[in-house]
């Protein structure tokens, strides 16, 4: 039985699955600081400060402030300011505005990201098979409108619909984000959908809980992958292997 007969839709995670971050957070914070004549902030301090600031903002204002109707730029400005302060850098308002503008612009472009070479061919192969492709991501609106298209992942040629947490107000691992995907795919049955991602908690388990098929990618050879396999999850190293898996008898309907 062909893949098109088994499935009607494949949904795909973004970061770690289709694209990856390029360089370190400190690289972009450093460039922003140097652009206004300041020395580079300490990489480690900024990285740790950002992790804490991001976690705090995600808890207070989840989905990039969706429920609070907080503009995306305000969410990020608050997060970045807190990142610097936690790292020991308390710039005056005028200086911070200039630094933040550079950071916000950088992360709203394709500059900090790289696309895996197998991403575009895989998505086009799936669509050529007659399947619908959906993006399911804990990401803000700029991924949909700017970042993915800038990386060559366009709606209409590589994917058909997207479910982005910053636009929908729900995020993984909440199964409701997958329910939205099923609706956008045309209210199709969960067993006719395969979700591909790189997190057992955010991708595999919530998708399976709804009755969808799921496949995990282990692009970076994480030590957790062995536990994923022991739990019964299907794990492949990349989307080339995912295509082979989908085309073989290993895919059990």
């Amino acid at each position: 039985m062909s893949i098109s007969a088994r499935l009607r839709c494949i949904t795909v995670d973004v970061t770690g699955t289709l694209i990856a971050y390029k360089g370190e957070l400190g690289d972009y914070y450093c460039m922003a600081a140097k652009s206004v004549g300041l020395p580079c902030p300490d990489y480690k301090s900024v990285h740790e400060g950002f992790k804490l600031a991001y976690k705090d903002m995600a808890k207070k204002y989840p989905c990039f402030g969706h429920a609070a109707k907080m503009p995306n730029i305000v969410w990020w400005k608050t997060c970045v300011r807190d990142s610097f302060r936690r790292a020991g850098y308390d710039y005056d308002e005028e200086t911070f505005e200039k630094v933040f503008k550079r950071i916000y612009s950088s992360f709203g472009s394709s500059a900090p990201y790289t696309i895996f070479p197998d991403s575009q061919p895989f998505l086009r192969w799936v669509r050529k098979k007659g399947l619908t492709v959906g993006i399911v991501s804990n990401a803000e609106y700029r991924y949909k409108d700017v970042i993915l298209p800038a990386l060559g992942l366009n709606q209409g040629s590589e994917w058909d619909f997207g479910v982005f947490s910053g636009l929908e107000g729900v995020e993984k691992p909440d199964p409701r984000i997958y329910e939205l995907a099923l609706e956008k795919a045309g209210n199709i049955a969960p067993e006719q959908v395969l979700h591909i991602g790189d997190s057992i908690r955010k991708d595999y388990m919530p998708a399976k809980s709804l009755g969808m098929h799921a496949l995990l990618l282990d692009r970076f050879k994480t030590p957790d992958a062995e536990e994923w396999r022991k739990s019964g999850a299907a794990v492949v190293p990349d989307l080339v292997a995912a295509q082979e898996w989908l085309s073989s008898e290993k895919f059990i309907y």
Side-chain angles (χ1 to χ4, degrees):
M1 186 182 293
S2 69
I3 177 177
S4 56
R6 301 174 186 219
L7 298 171
R8 290 178 59 192
C9 174
I10 290 181
T11 58
V12 189
D13 168 55
V14 175
T15 308
T17 301
L18 298 176
I19 69 174
Y21 288 106
K22 186 167 58 179
E24 296 183 43
L25 181 81
D27 293 331
Y28 302 96
Y29 278 52
C30 178
M31 285 189 290
K34 289 177 77 171
S35 72
V36 297
L38 295 170
C40 278
D42 178 73
Y43 272 44
K44 185 177 179 181
S45 298
V46 166
H47 184 72
E48 292 303 314
F50 176 80
K51 286 198 296 184
L52 293 170
Y54 186 92
K55 185 177 180 180
D56 189 52
M57 283 298 290
K59 184 177 180 180
K60 289 180 180 176
Y61 304 102
C63 302
F64 305 95
H66 184 277
K69 293 182 169 57
M70 180 183 287
N72 187 68
I73 192 169
V74 173
W75 194 97
W76 278 112
K77 185 178 288 187
T78 307
C79 183
V80 172
R81 181 185 280 112
D82 191 30
S83 300
F84 276 120
R85 285 177 175 166
R86 288 174 186 266
Y89 301 91
D90 197 1
Y91 302 130
D92 64 77
E93 193 62 29
E94 183 180 354
T95 300
F96 172 74
E97 283 289 338
K98 292 176 182 177
V99 172
F100 170 73
K101 186 177 180 180
R102 175 68 180 260
I103 291 171
Y104 189 72
S105 176
S106 293
F107 282 95
S109 72
S110 62
Y113 313 97
T114 182
I115 180 173
F116 293 112
D118 55 10
S119 295
Q120 190 182 69
F122 176 78
L123 297 178
R124 291 188 173 184
W125 174 77
V126 171
R127 293 185 80 245
K128 191 175 180 181
K129 291 289 185 180
L131 279 72
T132 300
V133 172
I135 299 291
V136 180
S137 176
N138 286 355
E140 40 129 323
Y141 80 93
R142 292 183 297 172
Y143 269 61
K144 175 180 183 288
D145 295 341
V146 182
I147 296 167
L148 291 181
L151 291 168
L153 298 174
N154 297 285
Q155 188 169 6
S157 57
E158 281 76 38
W159 52 281
D160 299 288
F161 70 87
V163 185
F164 299 89
S165 61
L167 293 172
E168 305 294 349
V170 61
E171 61 189 7
K172 299 185 282 187
D174 190 331
R176 288 182 299 160
I177 197 168
Y178 294 97
E179 290 175 348
L180 279 171
L182 294 175
E183 289 176 20
K184 287 178 179 274
N187 291 308
I188 60 179
E191 61 268 21
Q192 294 178 308
V193 183
L194 167 71
H195 179 68
I196 302 174
D198 68 329
S199 169
I200 195 164
R201 185 178 72 87
K202 294 181 179 180
D203 294 300
Y204 188 86
M205 292 176 67
K208 292 287 282 187
S209 75
L210 292 179
M212 296 167 63
H213 300 281
L215 177 65
L216 283 167
L217 289 196
D218 178 31
R219 288 192 182 275
F220 304 107
K221 294 181 172 58
T222 172
D224 295 334
E226 192 53 41
E227 291 301 316
W228 298 349
R229 293 185 180 92
K230 287 179 182 177
S231 72
V235 184
V236 295
D238 51 37
L239 290 173
V240 172
Q243 183 172 329
E244 293 171 356
W245 181 79
L246 283 163
S247 303
S248 74
E249 293 304 313
K250 292 178 184 178
F251 180 75
I252 302 171
Y253 184 60

